[in-house]
Amino acid sequence: MGTGSWRLLAALLVSTGLLACDGTIDAPGGGTPLEPPVIGGGDDPPLCEGAACEDVPEEPVATSRIPRLTHTQWEKTVRDLFRLDAITGLARDFDPDAPAGSFSTNEGRLVMSAGLWQDYQRAAEQVAAMMTAPDQIARWAPGGSIQRDSLVAEFAPRAYRHPLTRDQSERLSTLFDEGARLYPELEPSIAGGRVVLEAILQAPRFVYRVEESLDGGDTTELDQYELASRLSYLLWGSMPDDALFAAAEAGELDENGLRFHAGRLYDDPRSSDMFEAFHLEHFDMSTWADVNKETEVFPDWREGLGDDMFAATQAFLDNIVRSNGTLRDMLLSRRAFVNEDLARVYGIEGISGDDLREVTLPESRAGILTRLSFLTYWSALRTPDPIHRGLFVNTNILCREVPPAPDITDLDLNFTGATNRERVASVTHEGSCASCHLTMINPPGFALESFDAIGAEQLVENGVPVDTLTTFGFEDGSQATVDGGVELSEAVAENPAAHRCYASNLLEFAFGRPVAGGDAPLIFRMAEGSRTGGFTVRDLIVELVTSRTFRLRTNQEGASE
């Protein structure tokens, strides 16, 4: 489509209200536009604390009513809208999202730049051209052919994830009829279909997840279609499927309906992508495969072994999700996936080949803290790194704030001792370092000293038995004396902070905003269910999607309109 045609199309789109040049989205019937994103969360005080939260309902938190699709969500939505077998790959060339927020789903980073808007325009043109090719039309078009009425009545509502108003339908119908003038070289129905697809794929109601419901009180019950979209984008990162659309149309997404469909979407393999992304960010795993060791020091090391270690940890976590496992399983299970080279490092015999196979690890191992990928990444070139291993336990497992390191440029770092533990202790157990290192940072790392720089078990170092006995002070004031990685993992799994950390991060990832004070009751229920009630990851998701926070939204934005 040439530049002149684009100008004509842009004028038509704006004049019909399908696009808004001022950055707003028209409300139904041409009412007050939706405002820019308002991101909830932050430093507001918790609604309640501890057991006092048990019978307190959570309060919905102010969030954006128009969160933009992430690039991954855009790809999956295009794939599912047109019933393709794979994503288009076009989003690889989109303007990258801003590196704001602790999770990739955080609404604060999903801005609309001028470059990204051009990317959407270009991608819309490419997808529309591809999907109006003769061999692709039957894949997605209602009835197997492009007809104006069915395109507007059946396809467009799926694209917008919501029934169309009469005004929206009329606008798209008018645009379809303009197709022959904009693409005179094409057969009229193909031309009309292409123009409508181009418009839909650029429409705010496609590239944003619009929530227009607004009551007169403090909170608003989301309508059925908005709930369907919240659920599908949470678990699949994509638009609702036909069954979820049907449930929304029938008004079945009450608390019981949400519970049923949350379980259905969770059980579908498509949810694996969501949990892989969450665990990658929650455990800060994105660079774990990027490791290298010296083969003269570690004969079992080879190029690519770091990739295998990382893949094995991902397989372990996915297996927990798929087998209805718990956070305790992530911290304590000896189930693992190994190939021949990984089995050799673990000390497991009888495994051959490059493919990963499920095994049971030796009794000296338990959960993610004793996996090769974690232990290898958090190591120096030749020795374990107890400081960073300990920091990981504190920050990524317990969500504990660790003060920044003091300025040590003027200190004499005189490492002394026969073992790695002794050398680390020699420079961290005195002075300004000691306050954090003695009971907080070093103990978890010291408990893991029996695993070397590639995660293999080592019981002796320089002729001296490795010492893994240590006392770890938790943030709540409790202490645990542990000896080795298994006892460390057990102590962590018993501490409420681990379950609160996982629940809080899961909520933040799912809702795309920082945790807020009104979330305290929901986080308490999730954390206590995980710690004492045997809640599986699936149970945690069901708790999320049946909560008031999921089903309602605050009208804070409405009050300022």
Side-chain angles (χ1 to χ4, degrees), residues 318-388:
D318 183 64
N319 183 266
I320 297 295
V321 171
R322 299 268 65 89
S323 63
N324 213 22
T326 66
L327 174 62
R328 287 183 179 275
D329 292 326
M330 295 181 203
L331 294 170
L332 299 176
S333 175
R334 290 164 54 202
R335 185 187 320 154
F337 296 84
V338 303
N339 58 20
E340 182 175 352
D341 291 339
L342 297 180
R344 185 180 304 112
V345 180
Y346 276 123
I348 299 173
E349 298 179 350
I351 304 297
S352 60
D354 297 331
D355 295 336
L356 294 176
R357 292 175 46 188
E358 182 176 343
V359 297
T360 299
L361 295 179
E363 294 182 357
S364 57
R365 309 249 182 192
I368 193 170
L369 295 180
T370 63
R371 302 290 151 148
L372 299 183
S373 55
F374 165 74
L375 295 165
T376 301
Y377 183 76
W378 296 113
S379 291
L381 193 60
R382 296 186 174 195
T383 62
D385 184 350
I387 292 176
H388 284 97

Side-chain angles (χ1 to χ4, degrees), residues 238-407:
S238 185
M239 60 183 287
D241 64 356
D242 292 341
L244 198 49
F245 273 132
E249 183 178 9
E252 296 173 350
L253 295 181
D254 55 9
E255 188 171 337
N256 288 332
L258 286 171
R259 180 178 290 107
F260 170 78
H261 284 282
R264 181 177 69 84
L265 268 61
Y266 180 97
D267 293 339
D268 190 289
R270 279 175 284 185
S271 69
S272 289
D273 287 350
M274 173 269 191
F275 286 103
E276 180 179 320
F278 168 64
H279 289 137
L280 198 71
E281 297 178 33
H282 170 54
F283 292 125
D284 195 18
M285 294 167 51
S286 61
T287 55
W288 282 15
D290 186 21
V291 291
N292 191 32
K293 303 296 176 181
E294 299 176 348
T295 53
E296 59 269 27
V297 179
F298 301 104
D300 289 332
W301 186 261
R302 62 163 174 78
E303 185 177 354
L305 191 60
D307 294 315
D308 289 353
M309 291 177 174
F310 180 65
T313 297
Q314 286 186 303
F316 166 66
L317 293 172
D318 183 64
N319 183 266
I320 297 295
V321 171
R322 299 268 65 89
S323 63
N324 213 22
T326 66
L327 174 62
R328 287 183 179 275
D329 292 326
M330 295 181 203
L331 294 170
L332 299 176
S333 175
R334 290 164 54 202
R335 185 187 320 154
F337 296 84
V338 303
N339 58 20
E340 182 175 352
D341 291 339
L342 297 180
R344 185 180 304 112
V345 180
Y346 276 123
I348 299 173
E349 298 179 350
I351 304 297
S352 60
D354 297 331
D355 295 336
L356 294 176
R357 292 175 46 188
E358 182 176 343
V359 297
T360 299
L361 295 179
E363 294 182 357
S364 57
R365 309 249 182 192
I368 193 170
L369 295 180
T370 63
R371 302 290 151 148
L372 299 183
S373 55
F374 165 74
L375 295 165
T376 301
Y377 183 76
W378 296 113
S379 291
L381 193 60
R382 296 186 174 195
T383 62
D385 184 350
I387 292 176
H388 284 97
R389 288 178 178 179
L391 279 171
F392 177 90
V393 172
N394 280 280
T395 58
N396 293 87
I397 303 294
L398 301 172
C399 288
R400 188 175 191 176
E401 289 191 12
V402 178
D407 185 359

